[in-house]
Amino acid sequence: MKHSDEPIRVYCAGPLFNRSEREEMTAIANQLIDSGYTVYLPHRDGMEFRLILNVLVERNWDAPTAAQFLHEAIFALDVYQLVIECEAMVWNLNGRTPDEGAVSEAAMAWILGKPLIAYQDDVRSLIQGRVNPLLVGMVNFKSVDEIELIPDTLSAAIKTQGIRSSASTEQLPLKVQQAVKAGQVLWEALCSEGAQEDNELIASVVEELFAPNDPSAILA
C-alpha cells in the first residue's frame, strides 16, 4: 500500500505509434515528473511488444498466437496500473481521431473515479470542430493546449476531486479482478532487478500467465 507522503502516480495515456507521438508523450511525462509527480508511461515503463514477441517466436510459438496472448498481457498490465498503481491520469487527445487505447484507459479512469484531465493542441476533429462529447464529457468538456499547463491543471483536479484509495479490488467485476491480479504479477516481474533488460525473463512470465496450454495452437 502506498504511503501518504509518496508522490502521486499519474498514468499517461495517448498515441504512441510514431516517433513524434512518443516524444510528445515523453514530454508530458517529464513535465509531470519535474512538478513532483511520478508517472507510468506505457512505452517506456511497460514491455516492448516487438522484443518480447521475438523471444516467444524463438520458443516455437507461431507469431499470431504469441501476439494474441502478448496483447492480453499488455492489457492486464495497463489495467493493473490504472486500478492500483496510479491515482490520476493525463490523457493526450491529439490525433485525427483520439487513440483507441487511450480512450479505453480514460473510460476506466473515469469509472474508477480518478482525477482525469486532457491535453489537446490538435485542431482536427470528427464532429464539426468538436471532439465527440462521449469522450470530452469525461473531462468536463475541457482540455489544456499547452504541456506546461498540465501539472497545475491536474493538481487543481486532484484538489477538487480528491484521491480515492486503490487498496481493494473486491468491489470490482470478476474480469477486472482477474486482469489486475495477472497485471500485478507481471509488474512485479518487470520491477525486479535487471528485468527491463531481460526479455527472456519477461517472456517467461507472459507465457506462464497468458499462453494457451498447447504451444502449437493456431488462432482460428
Side-chain angles (χ1 to χ4, degrees):
M1 182 181 301
K2 179 171 289 191
H3 297 292
S4 59
D5 58 346
E6 293 183 11
I8 291 172
R9 186 170 174 83
V10 182
Y11 193 104
C12 295
L16 296 166
F17 292 101
N18 57 53
R19 180 180 299 174
S20 63
E21 289 177 343
R22 290 190 291 272
E23 287 175 350
E24 183 173 61
M25 291 303 299
T26 299
I28 290 170
N30 288 341
Q31 190 73 41
L32 288 163
I33 291 169
D34 289 345
S35 298
Y37 292 97
T38 60
V39 304
Y40 179 76
L41 187 59
H43 76 285
R44 183 189 67 190
D45 303 321
M47 299 178 293
E48 187 166 348
F49 179 88
R50 174 181 58 85
L51 298 178
I52 306 301
L53 180 63
N54 288 343
V55 174
L56 294 171
V57 171
E58 289 171 1
R59 295 181 181 182
N60 296 321
W61 289 98
D62 67 274
T65 301
Q68 174 64 35
F69 68 77
L70 183 51
H71 278 136
E72 293 175 18
I74 292 170
F75 175 79
L77 179 61
D78 289 353
V79 169
Y80 169 73
Q81 289 294 326
L82 281 162
V83 174
I84 300 297
E85 290 287 331
C86 296
E87 291 98 348
M89 179 175 151
V90 171
W91 179 17
N92 182 356
L93 277 167
N94 280 344
R96 174 62 184 86
T97 58
D99 176 73
E100 297 96 330
V103 169
S104 177
E105 291 157 348
M108 292 184 211
W110 187 73
I111 290 294
L112 289 165
K114 303 202 173 189
L116 168 66
I117 68 163
Y119 161 75
Q120 184 179 36
D121 69 349
D122 194 330
V123 298
R124 294 173 295 177
S125 66
L126 192 61
I127 306 174
Q128 297 181 344
R130 297 182 180 274
V131 179
N132 190 309
L134 288 175
L135 302 186
V136 292
M138 292 188 287
V139 289
N140 297 323
F141 299 91
K142 298 177 182 178
S143 63
V144 296
D145 59 5
E146 296 180 30
I147 290 176
E148 292 76 11
L149 298 176
I150 289 174
D152 286 346
T153 304
L154 181 60
S155 295
I158 291 170
K159 183 176 180 181
T160 299
Q161 189 169 338
I163 295 293
R164 299 181 64 177
S165 172
S166 298
S168 175
T169 60
E170 294 178 359
Q171 302 302 315
L172 296 173
L174 179 59
K175 286 185 177 181
V176 181
Q177 293 184 41
Q178 292 170 338
V180 167
K181 184 177 180 180
Q184 180 175 6
V185 174
L186 185 52
W187 178 242
E188 289 173 352
L190 282 166
C191 289
S192 61
E193 186 174 356
Q196 287 286 348
E197 292 77 37
D198 192 343
N199 294 318
E200 295 284 345
L201 169 64
I202 300 306
S204 293
V205 177
V206 169
E207 275 187 303
E208 181 179 352
L209 291 170
F210 301 99
N213 293 328
D214 182 5
S216 65
I218 299 177
L219 290 176

